[in-house]
Amino acid sequence: MGNENWNNKAELRKDWWRKKRLNYNVGLVISGILAFILYVIIVEFIVMKSEKNLEGEITIFTLLFQGIGYLVMIVIANLFYYLGEVSELIIEPENSEKYRNWTYKIGYWFSCGIPFLIPTSLLIEFV
């Protein structure tokens, strides 16, 4: 009976995290696109017009390179996504639903915020 209860909990845990993965990946894609747009705006209107006289341009190659690089980062983020489920298995919280929601939200916003570090650092450096 105890083993059956444990299997049921494990299945519920896996199912909960599995259902949230699509939302997580959509958030990563949207934040990546928005961060890249912000990056382009900052480079075009602030960095290029700075006193440092920097030159550069965005080409199909740079877009492709950035896109492939970001896809690699999404794969890495999805590997880290498993930390939520693993941490729940290790910690065994009394209120699993509350723990899942809290852990998911922190991981989601942290992961979606990382792409904005480069445009933010450029803004800080050149303003």
Side-chain angles (χ1 to χ4, degrees), residues 7 20 39 48 72 77 81 92 98 108-109 116 119:
N7 286 337
K20 292 286 193 176
Y39 168 80
M48 295 300 196
V72 169
Y81 183 82
E92 298 180 3
K98 185 176 180 181
Y108 179 87
W109 290 110
F116 292 94

Side-chain angles (χ1 to χ4, degrees), residues 81-96:
Y81 183 82
Y82 283 111
L83 288 177
E85 185 178 339
V86 170
S87 72
E88 182 181 347
L89 184 62
I90 293 168
I91 294 172
E92 298 180 3
E94 285 187 30
N95 187 338
S96 295

Side-chain angles (χ1 to χ4, degrees), residues 2 27 36 42 47 54 63-64 82 97 105:
F36 186 72
I42 291 170
V47 173
L54 298 173
L63 286 173
L64 190 61
Y82 283 111
E97 192 66 27
K105 286 176 185 175

Side-chain angles (χ1 to χ4, degrees), residues 59-70:
T59 64
I60 295 295
F61 174 74
T62 58
L63 286 173
L64 190 61
F65 182 76
Q66 292 283 337
I68 291 171
Y70 196 64

Side-chain angles (χ1 to χ4, degrees), residues 18-87:
R18 195 177 307 124
K19 287 179 180 175
K20 292 286 193 176
R21 187 178 293 277
L22 178 61
N23 186 53
Y24 178 75
N25 284 312
V26 168
L28 290 175
V29 169
I30 291 171
S31 65
I33 291 168
L34 292 175
F36 186 72
I37 291 169
L38 184 60
Y39 168 80
V40 169
I41 290 169
I42 291 170
V43 167
E44 186 66 31
F45 295 105
I46 297 174
V47 173
M48 295 300 196
K49 301 198 184 326
S50 72
E51 298 168 358
K52 296 182 180 181
N53 292 326
L54 298 173
E55 291 185 26
E57 62 184 352
I58 296 175
T59 64
I60 295 295
F61 174 74
T62 58
L63 286 173
L64 190 61
F65 182 76
Q66 292 283 337
I68 291 171
Y70 196 64
L71 287 176
V72 169
M73 294 312 295
I74 288 175
V75 169
I76 293 169
N78 272 272
L79 293 174
F80 279 100
Y81 183 82
Y82 283 111
L83 288 177
E85 185 178 339
V86 170
S87 72

Side-chain angles (χ1 to χ4, degrees), residues 92-124:
E92 298 180 3
E94 285 187 30
N95 187 338
S96 295
E97 192 66 27
K98 185 176 180 181
Y99 179 82
R100 288 175 190 148
N101 284 315
W102 181 80
T103 307
Y104 175 79
K105 286 176 185 175
I106 288 175
Y108 179 87
W109 290 110
F110 179 78
S111 298
C112 290
I114 287 176
F116 292 94
L117 290 176
I118 292 176
T120 301
S121 65
L122 283 175
L123 192 61
I124 290 168

